[in-house]
Amino acid sequence: MKLIFATGNEGKMKEIRAILKDLPLEILSLKEAGIAVDIDENGETFEENAVIKVKAVKAVLGEEPVILMSDDSGLVVDAMDGQPGVHSSRFMGEDTSYHIKNAEIIRRVNAAPEGNRACRFCCVIAALLPDGEVLTAAGTVEGEVAFEERGEGGFGYDPIFYLADKGKCMAELSAAEKNSLSHRARALAAMKEKLIPVLNRG
Ligand code: IMP
């Protein structure tokens, strides 16, 4: 069975292939499957966006019997009423550097009453099966907004995502360490558990 993952991000593809490697699936990126699709991610939740993405790919692909998978993720900050959330990549503008976005999040959290620094990375994976059934699986990792950026690893909001039990920001972890606890890895592991019975029923 073919599985097409709706991303152009090679880092994600590596993570997906590693986690799903023992399933009987040929895993392709959109590019490898020769699919070009422009997706308007206008959902209000991570789950809505993940489902919008698989359905958009299905509309282009037609009836080919494959599993289509996608993810949507972002940073949820309690003191910002859950922002940037589903707007994580668009927060303050798509072209604004993460150095500036991170500084703004620190500023807003520092100004919040009661010193609430809690935040989490969330990810929802959606899978559209050949019979039209949609499966979803979520993963989160809890953290705190740091007082300053730390670390050179990862991407995006990783330098301000402080993991109290590690005493480090996400950007200070090795790629292997991040992949062992990330929201995406957890969502993928949960999705894998849902896919196994589907693949077994043939
Ligand atoms: P997407 O789901 O790949 O579109 O990610 C949405 C946005 O969420 C990214 O552009 C980042 O701003 C943020 N984000 C998602 N996952 C991570 C992560 O692991 N580290 C840092 N930022 C992330």
Side-chain angles (χ1 to χ4, degrees), residues 35-148:
I35 301 170
V37 50
D38 198 17
I39 303 170
D40 187 13
E41 294 174 29
N42 56 9
E44 282 175 16
T45 63
F46 298 114
E47 182 167 331
E48 270 176 40
N49 276 337
V51 172
I52 284 170
K53 287 185 220 179
V54 278
K55 290 193 169 164
V57 176
K58 177 78 177 172
V60 172
L61 194 67
E63 290 310 308
E64 204 185 322
V66 299
I67 296 174
L68 298 175
M69 209 181 264
S70 72
D71 73 330
D72 195 52
S73 59
L75 176 68
V76 172
V77 178
D78 286 351
M80 292 171 61
D81 293 328
Q83 292 297 312
V86 290
H87 302 113
S88 287
S89 56
R90 287 164 282 172
F91 177 62
M92 299 178 76
E94 200 93 43
D95 296 330
T96 303
S97 78
Y98 276 94
H99 187 56
I100 293 173
K101 296 186 198 213
N102 285 337
E104 175 61 10
I105 289 177
I106 292 172
R107 191 191 67 73
R108 290 206 209 171
V109 170
N110 286 349
E114 295 162 24
N116 181 5
R117 309 195 74 84
C119 63
R120 63 205 58 80
F121 278 129
C122 301
C123 176
V124 174
I125 309 258
L128 180 54
L129 307 180
D131 66 2
E133 186 184 355
V134 176
L135 306 176
T136 59
T140 59
V141 54
E142 297 286 334
E144 291 162 32
V145 173
F147 288 91
E148 59 189 11

